[in-house]
Amino acid sequence: MYLQSPLPLGNCGTRLCFPYEELDVSDLNDWTPRPWLALQNPSEAVTRPPALSTEYTTKTKRSEAMMADEATRRVFPTEPASHLRPRSRSVKSLVSTPESSFWRTFRSSTLHPSYLHLPITSLSFSPNSSLLAAASSTSVRVFSSLSLSEYDPTLFATLPLPDLAYSPSFRCDGALIAAGCENGAVRVFDLPNDKPPKTLRRLNAHSCASRVVGFPLLDHKLRLFSAGDDALFVQWDLPTETPLFSVPGAHRDYIRAGAPSPVSPDVFVTGSYDHTVKIWDARVNSGTSSVLSINHGHPVESVLFLPSGGLVATAGGNTIKIWDVIAGGKPVYSVETHNKTVTALTLAKVRDDTRLLSVSIDGYLKSFDFSRFKITHSMRYPAPLLSVAFSPTGTIRVVGTNNGAMYMGIKKKKDEFEDQVGSDDFAWSVPLPEKPTSRKNIRYFKRGQSEKPSEGDFIIKRPEKVKLKEHDRLLRKFLHKDALVSVLKTQQTTSIMAVLEELVARRKLIKCISNLDNDELKLLLSFISKKATQPWCARFFMDLAKWVLEIRAEDIRSGGPEMAVHVRNLRSMVAHEIQVQRSLQEIQGMISPLLVIAGK
Amino acid sequence: MIVGGQSLVTSPPVFSHDGKKLLVCTGCTVSVFSTTTGMLITELEGHTERVTSIVVVPVAGTVGTKFSDYCWTASLDGMIFYWDFSTPDLLKKVNVQLPVHSFVIPNILSASLGRSDKASQNLYAFISVEDANKEVENGKHLHGSIQIYDLTNSTRAGGVLAETHKPETLAISKSGEFVGIKKQKQLNIWRVPNKNLKSVNMKKLKLHHTRTLSCLAFHPTKCIVAAGDVSGRILIWRGFGKMRHSQDGGGKMKIDMGDRPGVRGEDDADSCSTWHWHSSEIKFLMFSSDEAYLFSGAKEGVIVVWQLDTGNKTYKPNIGSPLMYFTDSPDPSLSCVSCEDNQIHLLRMPSMDIIKSISGIKPPLILSELQGDRSRVTIGCDRSIGFVALPTKDYRIQFFSLLDGTDISHLQVIERNYDPVDETTVFISLVEVSDDGSMMSTVEEKLPEMGIGGLISLKFWIRGSHTGQYTLSTIIYEPHNNAGVSDMAFCPGRSMAVSTSYCGNFKVWVNNSSFIHSGDEIQEKGGWRCQSVSSYKEIPMTAAAFSGDGSVLAVAAETKITLWDPLNNVLVAIIGDSLGPIRQLAFVGSSEYIMSFSSGTKADLVVWNISNLSTHWSYKLLVEDICCTRSETRVAVLALLSSSDKSISTGKDGMVLVFDVENPIPVSTWFVKKAKGGRLSFINNKLGEATDGKLLLAYINGEHNYVLFDPSNVKEQEDLIPKSARRPQSYAHDENVSHGYASIYGELPSFDLTKARSSDSIPFVSSERPWETIFSGSSHALPPLSKLCSPFLESLLEKAEKQTVLSQ
């Protein structure tokens, strides 16, 4: 008459409360019954004649009985009550993302190309070989063999320049290199393998420092563009050393940044200290006016076309901005994560994606995912950074500082994608279609395993396997003394506390103490003498120390000088603690009348 | 009136002949559970004492219809009943006159009551009865005896087969050929003759051992008997009884003492082997249905599977509680194991996975090493929904619904591995649930070893989305230094709690946490913090209670009651002395009275008037529990009767009194059994329309049997453990789960011989649509395809023609 309502949950019983644990085969091996002798426990042998093996049998039986445990029931490792854990002040550990793990695979090294501690103003990788050009002081140094095995890159060549060198740039086939100079000259060198480099062309048009020199990215080997502090922008025809397209007064201030377009050999972008970024098209010969002008808002230090050719990234002040040039210079996104001026930008290939790397005077290198508009990683260097380069193979990352040091990161192990990138410039290469996996391939069987759950998916987690430590395993086998010794050796106070508490709960602590041999007793005594007066465990350890001294008095007396040292330590510690308590009582005596008065 | 909480594990359960139902002895009734759903189907009510054993009538081949669910039950009231438990109907009563502790029916296959012919045999049962009034012979108290009883004619057949000190449990082999008992250090085995079952021609076989035996089991087919003893050894006698039973005529027995390894003295067996793994008394032995294995179980909670030929053993999952019985079913893939914690687990057989668990209310914690007032382990009670929170041995809390009589959920309180063999050193000493059930607090204690390392911690829990689902909110270690917590109380309508301790202070805890709902889980920030600490003359605080509106906190300081303003922590008043230290306090509804009782030598029950701070009335009673309603002025008191009282002899050692607080004369009184450790609570009756939301009084006795009743309806002096009025939870028709052959191949079509024959005689008439039947028939009877093809195609053509005709 009372039960009109629908049925309750029913007999959910004990088993619904915890997830099933999978039975591990290795654990089963642990449990297999073994002959009695194998279990001879020296600790227990001290007290019991070996003939009476009933204790062993019960112990083994129980550990065998425990074996059936796992399948249905959860296992609790011994853990200290949390009030016994000292409060840690450690900072929350950094979150590990796939991106950060990628950057962590780089092994870093430092090298000083010159001993003058002059700033490295520009860095550039050859598109098809592992050559690295670094502009520092009056020369451009070209390094080679930046391979995994060798830390020290060998100096491949030094390109002589009459004054401070700027902006080395490799041609798309890597055969030529061009560099600007403080006096305005632009020189083009060849890079033969066995001979010293030879100056092929000298291009003289700039009256001030030619800060920006660049070959077009596309396969147009006879052109070069340069820009400089005289606000002149020139596109050169190399064989004849004559300017094809020249814009005097392209900006109203120094031009400090420029980049070729990845989609057209005739389109360039320049950035200047007059806060503007201008886009030039050599096919449109309309005098001094640019195709497009964008105001960045700060003196522009670096500009870059993003791989699509439709977006431009500009860096100036401490902001990086992304513009849509096809839409007429519409700002797309602005990043303000650096604290000081952003000095250089480059593109980096991170696994399948492309990232925009930026370096700044504040010493940070940041990786920006421009598809999601998110900073994905940041690295700190000990000096202001001026330049950055990332190898087209995606294995080397170099940053140049203002004190002449170069920080290099070389990827430790080869990625699968490395070989595919090949000689093409990484940024605008279309990733190869994925190989169809055959049944012979291990990937065929593992396909879909790395699939990430989407928003609405219901995730069923595999129950976590409880990791048992050495002392836990011994406790599960009822080898109490061994567990105590093994945990004492770890020197971890909280674990030791946990094991001691568990032993108390099993009524085995006193027996354990009486079974310890002399070395193990020393271990325990040294631990007690260190920790006995710590407030969070004092009550326990005071009693424990009393018992240890009482039970093992004879062993301690005959234990030799080492034992005596521990006991002396303990005594001095107790004496000190008594003193502390006394002074605390004095303070309490002083404070309590005040509190009583305050209470009234 | 709702009765429940009976132990499911007093006797071994029995499966019905098809393995779909499980018959469990639950007190005076037999509960029939479904093995597929694990829910109660029906109950067999009729016995007036504890039912001790059940024998299910197996289906006798051709005669048995599909719905023959018959069983015999025997009880301590001296009756054997014959039931049809599908309906359920009581078919026959047999009065044995002596309390039956165990009985078996060996020839149940050959003789069947009711439906069998007159010519067939009478039905005989071996019964194990207790005769308490038997005279002492030769200084031996032989209370138990084994007898044969003719169930058909309700007469005793012959004399006594054996006499034992106490009634023993009978074991029977599967074929019904052997019946045996253990008798201290020996086994007594009888071979049951096929005909003429009289005790006169029963031959008794004795097998001896050096230790007291605890259980025995027969091999299903061979002459093998296994017995377990109290030390955990398993003895296997092979080929027993060959000489004695074969040489029935009484010829000379020749015993070669040579090649009989392990057999003691002149025991009649070929060999005896001993296996030893268990460290304590063997609780059950059972041969597997394929005859290759022997299952044994004991306190360890592990079923050990012995390979019979080699003695190799494997271990099956740890059930986590001492095992009691193991029963196999006619369905070879199903068996069940009963545990001491009042649970029956249904096992899928070869793998021994738990399919379903039938769990009753957990038995009370027994802490042997705890003496004095610390031994009181309290149980929490949620008044609004009517469930109790019971601490269990394996460090959990069971939430049990009193109204439904079902187990709701389990909550792991102490994160520790439970081993049934260990002595209890860590336990949950106090569970308190707030009135609305939204908050719960538990106190767990770890007993120190030689004064080292005791720990008391207090945990606060917050209810989750389901009933009985609680999440841990705050852990407070050593809430009162190392002194024990004597009582907890929640403030109604506020998240405030008070804990009192023996060290002379009490603490008021408040919860100022905010909840963040993230998905299904409720995350909590903040938690319970101590708001204030107070003490009264450093006297141990023993009990606490909040008034109905939460404005007054009463804390008992041994014999005095101190009244506090809980918000401002100000002592308001002190009410004078009771005789002994107060164990519990309760405000009586919204009235001005507060009730207290104290235990010990100076036990009393006092009602105090708060307005004039004086005693209103008092009794000198040994009270176990009191309970007040929140709105009315009724109070219920559970009092223990002193040993001098007369009713003790009838087993009733306590009484439940209901008072109106104004009047010291009780409104009604009931006598109850096993009141020690009992508990009372008023529960909102949300389900009954008849009582219109009136409060039910729940009485849980010391063995966790309980009764729910409306105090205004039930007649006084009535026996408070009456027959059950529980509602079956499910009905038989909702379980059409096939098993065995049917589960693999589906139901066989009912095969009717007569019909098949008649169909032969009917001449074949070609059907209207020959394409449907042309290929039907067994393959060897079909004409070759080449012949069939043209008629088939023709039939198709015909059809098309017809259709065209019709369309025209």
Side-chain angles (χ1 to χ4, degrees):
Chain A
M1 68 194 268
Y2 295 112
L3 284 164
Q4 297 298 322
S5 74
L7 294 166
L9 282 170
N11 295 303
C12 27
T14 56
R15 308 200 357 108
L16 270 186
C17 296
F18 298 110
Y20 292 77
E21 295 253 342
E22 280 176 27
L23 199 70
D24 198 328
V25 182
S26 66
D27 286 5
L28 270 173
N29 292 339
D30 247 16
W31 294 325
T32 45
R34 51 189 87 182
W36 305 128
L37 277 176
L39 259 172
Q40 283 280 352
N41 180 4
S43 67
E44 316 297 324
V46 173
T47 50
R48 264 179 244 101
L52 283 173
S53 62
T54 48
E55 273 300 312
Y56 301 126
T57 57
T58 21
K59 188 171 285 184
T60 324
K61 278 167 196 168
R62 290 182 63 190
S63 69
E64 280 169 4
M66 292 284 277
M67 72 152 231
D69 240 4
E70 257 44 18
T72 46
R73 285 146 54 81
R74 198 170 137 192
V75 178
F76 300 105
T78 54
E79 265 180 27
S82 66
H83 73 298
L84 297 172
R85 287 176 212 149
R87 300 276 153 86
S88 68
R89 268 171 287 155
S90 64
V91 193
K92 205 174 72 179
S93 61
L94 289 168
V95 186
S96 174
T97 61
E99 178 96 11
S100 64
S101 64
F102 170 81
W103 289 113
R104 227 173 281 134
T105 57
F106 283 83
R107 196 160 48 179
S108 54
S109 62
T110 316
L111 74 155
H112 295 268
S114 66
Y115 299 99
L116 296 171
H117 302 292
L118 286 172
I120 295 163
T121 53
S122 183
L123 288 166
S124 172
F125 268 104
S126 159
N128 59 355
S129 58
S130 62
L131 294 182
L132 169 70
S136 161
S137 173
T138 58
S139 59
V140 171
R141 282 151 203 268
V142 181
F143 302 97
S144 68
S145 348
L146 297 169
S147 62
L148 287 172
S149 52
E150 291 173 50
Y151 257 67
D152 283 331
T154 49
L155 192 61
F156 182 74
T158 307
L159 311 178
L161 281 165
D163 208 334
L164 292 175
Y166 294 116
S167 185
S169 170
F170 285 97
R171 200 166 75 174
C172 55
D173 57 356
L176 298 185
I177 183 168
C181 182
E182 180 67 33
N183 65 6
V186 175
R187 294 192 181 188
V188 181
F189 306 91
D190 69 342
L191 286 171
N193 269 336
D194 41 358
K195 279 177 270 182
K198 198 168 65 187
T199 309
L200 294 180
R201 293 287 183 275
R202 291 156 205 270
L203 311 172
N204 295 316
H206 291 285
S207 55
C208 290
S210 50
R211 288 279 192 149
V212 181
V213 174
F215 281 100
L217 286 168
L218 283 181
D219 202 7
H220 212 291
K221 295 179 176 169
L222 304 179
R223 299 282 160 82
L224 181 76
F225 77 93
S226 69
D229 284 358
D230 55 355
L232 174 71
F233 175 75
V234 191
Q235 189 192 20
W236 300 89
D237 181 38
L238 277 188
T240 56
E241 300 186 2
T242 51
L244 287 175
F245 172 72
S246 164
V247 187
H251 284 273
R252 279 177 290 137
D253 207 333
Y254 299 157
I255 301 176
R256 284 290 166 90
S261 162
V263 288
S264 163
D266 293 318
V267 176
F268 309 94
V269 61
T270 57
S272 154
Y273 275 11
D274 66 355
H275 300 190
T276 59
V277 173
K278 290 188 178 176
I279 303 216
W280 309 94
D281 192 340
R283 296 163 296 192
V284 185
N285 205 345
S286 56
T288 57
S289 71
S290 63
V291 179
L292 186 67
S293 177
I294 304 163
N295 193 345
H296 177 77
H298 294 281
V300 180
E301 294 281 356
S302 183
V303 292
L304 198 65
F305 271 104
L306 294 183
S308 66
L311 295 176
V312 165
T314 63
N318 53 8
T319 59
I320 301 162
K321 290 183 179 175
I322 313 275
W323 310 86
D324 187 350
V325 289
I326 295 168
K330 198 179 79 171
V332 177
Y333 197 74
S334 170
V335 197
E336 288 189 46
T337 52
H338 286 285
N339 293 324
K340 288 184 181 171
T341 307
V342 182
T343 49
L345 296 174
T346 192
L347 288 170
K349 189 154 184 78
V350 173
R351 302 220 168 97
D352 270 340
D353 280 343
T354 315
R355 298 276 185 273
L356 181 67
L357 299 187
S358 62
V359 292
S360 158
I361 302 286
D362 62 4
Y364 275 97
L365 165 70
K366 303 219 175 192
S367 159
F368 177 70
D369 182 353
F370 51 83
S371 59
R372 290 182 294 149
F373 297 123
K374 230 173 120 180
I375 293 285
T376 50
H377 191 69
S378 97
M379 281 169 270
R380 171 114 170 78
Y381 289 94
L385 307 179
L386 294 185
S387 51
V388 63
F390 199 82
S391 83
T393 54
T395 52
I396 306 165
R397 168 196 82 207
V398 189
V399 291
T401 63
N402 73 340
N403 60 10
M406 285 200 318
Y407 295 98
M408 192 150 47
I410 300 172
K411 206 160 178 343
K412 282 178 203 163
K413 52 174 186 261
K414 282 195 172 183
D415 247 11
E416 283 174 29
F417 308 103
E418 255 175 58
D419 305 329
Q420 301 172 12
V421 173
S423 60
D424 286 345
D425 204 341
F426 61 92
W428 21 91
S429 67
V430 182
L432 289 175
E434 244 181 74
K435 277 184 197 163
T437 48
S438 68
R439 266 169 204 274
K440 287 174 187 170
N441 200 326
I442 187 75
R443 267 186 291 165
Y444 175 82
F445 296 102
K446 295 174 85 174
R447 69 196 191 281
Q449 282 187 357
S450 56
E451 202 71 24
K452 281 176 186 150
S454 62
E455 189 87 355
D457 283 353
F458 184 78
I459 303 162
I460 300 168
K461 278 184 189 160
R462 182 172 292 184
E464 272 181 40
K465 199 171 183 310
V466 181
K467 281 182 191 162
L468 291 180
K469 289 184 183 160
E470 174 71 26
H471 56 84
D472 263 329
R473 256 179 281 128
L474 289 168
L475 279 175
R476 280 167 65 77
K477 289 177 186 166
F478 302 94
L479 301 172
H480 297 119
K481 195 206 75 170
D482 293 352
L484 179 62
V485 172
S486 97
V487 77
L488 279 172
K489 279 176 184 159
T490 63
Q491 308 260 339
Q492 287 167 349
T493 318
T494 48
S495 307
I496 295 173
M497 254 333 262
V499 171
L500 288 171
E501 290 198 328
E502 177 64 24
L503 288 176
V504 166
R506 294 190 186 188
R507 294 278 181 276
K508 290 289 184 292
L509 182 61
I510 300 294
K511 190 176 260 177
C512 274
I513 292 170
S514 50
N515 283 344
L516 290 174
D517 66 27
N518 271 4
D519 287 340
E520 291 155 356
L521 185 63
K522 277 174 202 164
L523 213 58
L524 179 66
L525 270 179
S526 75
F527 175 73
I528 292 176
S529 62
K530 270 180 222 154
K531 302 284 176 187
T533 55
Q534 298 228 341
W536 51 272
C537 54
R539 188 183 298 156
F540 188 96
F541 279 124
M542 286 302 184
D543 289 336
L544 180 64
K546 211 180 82 189
W547 272 105
V548 170
L549 294 179
E550 211 162 283
I551 297 168
R552 306 299 300 266
E554 285 184 20
D555 294 309
I556 290 167
R557 231 171 267 140
S558 60
E562 214 175 312
M563 205 79 92
V565 168
H566 290 311
V567 176
R568 209 180 302 133
N569 284 349
L570 189 62
R571 183 187 293 160
S572 66
M573 195 140 185
V574 171
H576 178 247
E577 185 63 22
I578 289 171
Q579 217 163 16
V580 168
Q581 292 290 340
R582 208 168 277 160
S583 54
L584 281 174
Q585 273 176 343
E586 280 171 22
I587 294 169
Q588 196 185 14
M590 285 186 272
I591 289 174
S592 54
L594 295 177
L595 283 175
V596 170
I597 293 163
K600 284 174 183 173
Chain B
M1 187 183 294
I2 301 174
V3 171
Q6 287 89 1
S7 173
L8 303 172
V9 295
T10 51
S11 321
V14 179
F15 282 97
S16 69
H17 65 85
D18 55 356
K20 282 182 181 172
K21 292 173 183 172
L22 184 69
L23 284 79
V24 182
C25 303
T26 49
C28 308
T29 61
V30 174
S31 302
V32 182
F33 289 93
S34 158
T35 56
T36 45
T37 59
M39 290 194 183
L40 185 68
I41 298 170
T42 182
E43 288 200 328
L44 312 180
E45 294 160 19
H47 285 289
T48 53
E49 277 286 339
R50 189 164 67 81
V51 181
T52 50
S53 66
I54 307 168
V55 172
V56 169
V57 178
V59 187
T62 51
V63 188
T65 60
K66 221 173 182 181
F67 306 103
S68 65
D69 284 337
Y70 297 102
C71 71
W72 293 89
T73 60
S75 156
L76 292 182
D77 59 3
M79 301 291 282
I80 294 178
F81 287 175
Y82 186 55
W83 304 85
D84 177 355
F85 61 84
S86 57
T87 11
D89 285 328
L90 178 58
L91 301 177
K92 186 183 165 84
K93 288 184 182 182
V94 178
N95 195 348
V96 185
Q97 287 158 346
L98 291 170
V100 182
H101 281 265
S102 175
F103 85 115
V104 291
I105 305 174
N107 58 347
I108 196 159
L109 270 173
S110 54
S112 210
L113 193 85
R115 283 173 289 100
S116 58
D117 305 329
K118 294 286 177 202
S120 78
Q121 291 179 351
N122 287 347
L123 201 58
Y124 290 102
F126 282 70
I127 55 173
S128 164
V129 294
E130 182 181 9
D131 195 353
N133 302 324
K134 206 164 186 187
E135 304 94 47
V136 179
E137 289 175 17
N138 309 332
K140 284 181 186 173
H141 294 273
L142 296 171
H143 287 311
S145 64
I146 310 292
Q147 302 174 355
I148 298 182
Y149 203 85
D150 185 346
L151 291 174
T152 317
N153 301 326
S154 305
T155 52
R156 194 154 291 157
V160 174
L161 280 179
E163 289 188 322
T164 50
H165 283 274
K166 55 181 179 26
E168 295 289 352
T169 309
L170 286 157
I172 186 169
S173 68
K174 214 164 225 176
S175 56
E177 197 183 358
F178 298 106
V179 172
I181 57 160
K182 58 180 167 56
K183 191 175 166 186
Q184 291 188 323
K185 293 179 183 177
Q186 60 183 1
L187 290 184
N188 289 1
I189 298 169
W190 296 272
R191 168 175 279 200
V192 182
N194 288 330
K195 286 178 180 176
N196 204 6
L197 197 78
K198 293 275 183 209
S199 59
V200 187
N201 49 33
M202 295 295 291
K203 288 281 187 293
K204 182 157 74 178
L205 173 81
K206 288 183 183 175
L207 295 170
H208 294 85
H209 181 50
T210 50
R211 286 183 175 82
T212 308
L213 295 164
S214 58
C215 59
L216 79 157
F218 288 99
H219 192 276
T221 51
K222 293 180 199 159
C223 274
I224 299 175
V225 64
D229 72 5
V230 286
S231 68
R233 286 175 175 78
I234 298 168
L235 295 110
I236 310 234
W237 283 280
R238 288 164 208 267
F240 67 89
K242 275 189 180 161
M243 294 148 218
R244 169 143 322 193
H245 289 313
S246 58
Q247 297 171 358
D248 235 354
K252 284 182 182 174
M253 285 182 284
K254 285 175 186 171
I255 302 166
D256 359 325
M257 304 298 282
D259 55 338
R260 297 195 311 148
V263 181
R264 269 167 224 288
E266 298 194 341
D267 284 357
D268 185 4
D270 287 347
S271 67
C272 175
S273 48
T274 306
W275 294 333
H276 192 191
W277 182 85
H278 293 281
S279 56
S280 59
E281 182 188 329
I282 307 265
K283 289 286 185 185
F284 68 78
L285 286 170
M286 174 66 74
F287 286 95
S288 68
S289 52
D290 60 357
E291 307 169 10
Y293 299 98
L294 175 71
F295 306 125
S296 70
K299 204 182 176 188
E300 291 92 355
V302 181
I303 302 171
V304 183
V305 182
W306 305 85
Q307 202 176 356
L308 207 54
D309 294 337
T310 60
N312 291 342
K313 54 189 179 296
T314 49
Y315 314 95
K316 289 301 178 182
N318 194 342
I319 310 287
S321 177
L323 304 177
M324 303 274 287
Y325 314 109
F326 187 90
T327 313
D328 62 347
S329 73
D331 180 2
S333 65
L334 186 73
S335 63
C336 76
V337 63
S338 308
C339 300
E340 218 166 61
D341 63 351
N342 210 1
Q343 274 197 319
I344 296 174
H345 299 289
L346 296 166
L347 305 175
R348 183 180 291 117
M349 226 11 229
S351 57
M352 291 203 176
D353 303 327
I354 297 175
I355 313 167
K356 277 272 177 317
S357 294
I358 300 166
S359 47
I361 198 162
K362 295 280 181 208
L365 275 181
I366 298 158
L367 305 166
S368 53
E369 60 264 57
L370 291 175
Q371 305 297 321
D373 18 321
R374 296 288 291 276
S375 69
R376 190 165 170 242
V377 174
T378 60
I379 55 177
C381 199
D382 182 341
R383 293 178 177 201
S384 57
I385 312 169
F387 68 77
V388 285
L390 305 144
T392 65
K393 235 181 161 182
D394 52 351
Y395 315 127
R396 301 184 199 200
I397 286 180
Q398 182 198 30
F399 294 100
F400 192 85
S401 167
L402 292 180
L403 287 168
D404 303 335
T406 52
D407 168 72
I408 299 171
S409 64
H410 293 246
L411 178 72
Q412 186 86 35
V413 174
I414 308 172
E415 298 218 320
R416 220 176 149 255
N417 302 316
Y418 174 67
D419 189 350
V421 183
D422 280 336
E423 56 178 320
T424 311
T425 55
V426 182
F427 62 99
I428 302 163
S429 63
L430 203 152
V431 181
E432 186 72 33
V433 184
S434 68
D435 274 359
D436 56 349
S438 64
M439 294 169 285
M440 182 175 76
S441 69
T442 59
V443 176
E444 62 197 53
E445 287 188 30
K446 188 168 81 172
L447 300 172
E449 183 192 8
M450 315 287 277
I452 309 177
L455 180 68
I456 293 163
S457 45
L458 171 66
K459 283 178 179 170
F460 286 101
W461 307 78
I462 300 286
R463 186 172 61 191
S465 44
H466 311 298
T467 42
Q469 185 208 16
Y470 283 85
T471 50
L472 184 61
S473 163
T474 313
I475 309 178
I476 295 145
Y477 294 99
E478 305 192 324
H480 297 276
N481 291 328
N482 51 358
V485 177
S486 56
D487 199 8
M488 290 280 310
F490 279 99
C491 179
R494 218 176 289 159
S495 49
M496 178 187 276
V498 64
S499 68
T500 59
S501 91
Y502 296 108
C503 70
N505 62 9
F506 70 89
K507 290 187 180 181
V508 176
W509 307 90
V510 287
N511 182 13
N512 42 14
S513 56
S514 54
F515 297 98
I516 301 155
H517 292 262
S518 61
D520 284 347
E521 299 198 349
I522 302 168
Q523 290 188 339
E524 195 184 6
K525 281 194 168 180
W528 291 81
R529 296 280 173 272
C530 180
Q531 183 185 268
S532 60
V533 187
S534 325
S535 63
Y536 177 74
K537 293 184 179 174
E538 304 282 315
I539 301 171
M541 301 290 196
T542 49
F546 277 100
S547 69
D549 55 352
S551 61
V552 181
L553 167 66
V555 180
E558 284 203 321
T559 57
K560 289 189 173 64
I561 299 171
T562 55
L563 300 175
W564 302 76
D565 178 358
L567 291 176
N568 304 321
N569 196 27
V570 175
L571 180 63
V572 181
I574 300 158
I575 310 180
D577 282 298
S578 71
L579 292 173
I582 291 170
R583 256 178 70 184
Q584 198 175 332
L585 283 172
F587 279 91
V588 182
S590 48
S591 66
E592 52 182 5
Y593 300 106
I594 185 168
M595 208 168 182
S596 75
F597 72 87
S598 53
S599 58
T601 49
K602 293 174 181 173
D604 65 345
L605 169 76
V606 192
V607 174
W608 311 87
N609 191 326
I610 305 177
S611 55
N612 53 17
L613 303 178
S614 63
T615 309
H616 189 58
W617 50 265
S618 73
Y619 273 106
K620 212 172 171 185
L621 265 180
L622 185 60
V623 176
E624 187 67 25
D625 196 20
I626 53 175
C627 169
C628 302
T629 54
R630 278 290 179 211
S631 50
E632 300 166 55
T633 55
R634 270 186 304 170
V635 291
V637 173
L638 173 64
L640 295 178
L641 298 171
S642 56
S643 52
S644 60
D645 278 318
K646 284 174 191 168
S647 4
I648 284 292
S649 58
T650 61
K652 291 173 184 167
D653 59 348
M655 57 183 176
V656 175
L657 304 135
V658 172
F659 292 96
D660 189 80
V661 75
E662 301 282 350
N663 195 342
I665 298 163
V667 179
S668 41
T669 313
W670 300 271
F671 286 97
V672 291
K673 289 178 183 173
K674 290 159 193 159
K676 182 87 185 146
R679 185 81 210 257
L680 284 174
S681 181
F682 279 106
I683 283 173
N684 285 331
N685 182 15
K686 53 163 184 175
L687 294 170
E689 317 87 33
T691 44
D692 284 330
K694 274 187 187 170
L695 287 177
L696 290 177
L697 183 63
Y699 162 61
I700 304 162
N701 76 4
E703 287 185 352
H704 285 184
N705 295 351
Y706 65 85
V707 58
L708 265 73
F709 59 100
D710 186 353
S712 55
N713 274 354
V714 178
K715 269 186 260 167
E716 268 185 56
Q717 311 291 341
E718 199 180 315
D719 193 350
L720 259 191
I721 302 290
K723 277 125 226 125
S724 166
R726 261 200 290 170
R727 259 293 179 83
Q729 297 161 337
S730 69
Y731 296 95
H733 58 73
D734 59 3
E735 28 165 324
N736 292 323
V737 180
S738 54
H739 64 91
Y741 177 83
S743 66
I744 306 168
Y745 302 109
E747 288 277 332
L748 281 175
S750 56
F751 184 67
D752 198 338
L753 260 177
T754 55
K755 201 179 173 187
R757 269 192 213 115
S758 67
S759 66
D760 282 353
S761 61
I762 296 170
F764 177 71
V765 182
S766 64
S767 93
E768 289 267 311
R769 300 192 287 183
W771 59 89
E772 284 184 350
T773 54
I774 198 161
F775 291 115
S776 57
S778 57
S779 58
H780 67 270
L782 273 180
L785 264 182
S786 53
K787 282 189 179 175
L788 272 174
C789 190
S790 53
F792 176 66
L793 288 174
E794 265 174 38
S795 69
L796 288 177
L797 284 172
E798 266 174 46
K799 187 191 176 190
E801 276 172 2
K802 273 179 193 166
Q803 278 175 344
T804 48
V805 170
L806 280 172
S807 62
Q808 283 167 1

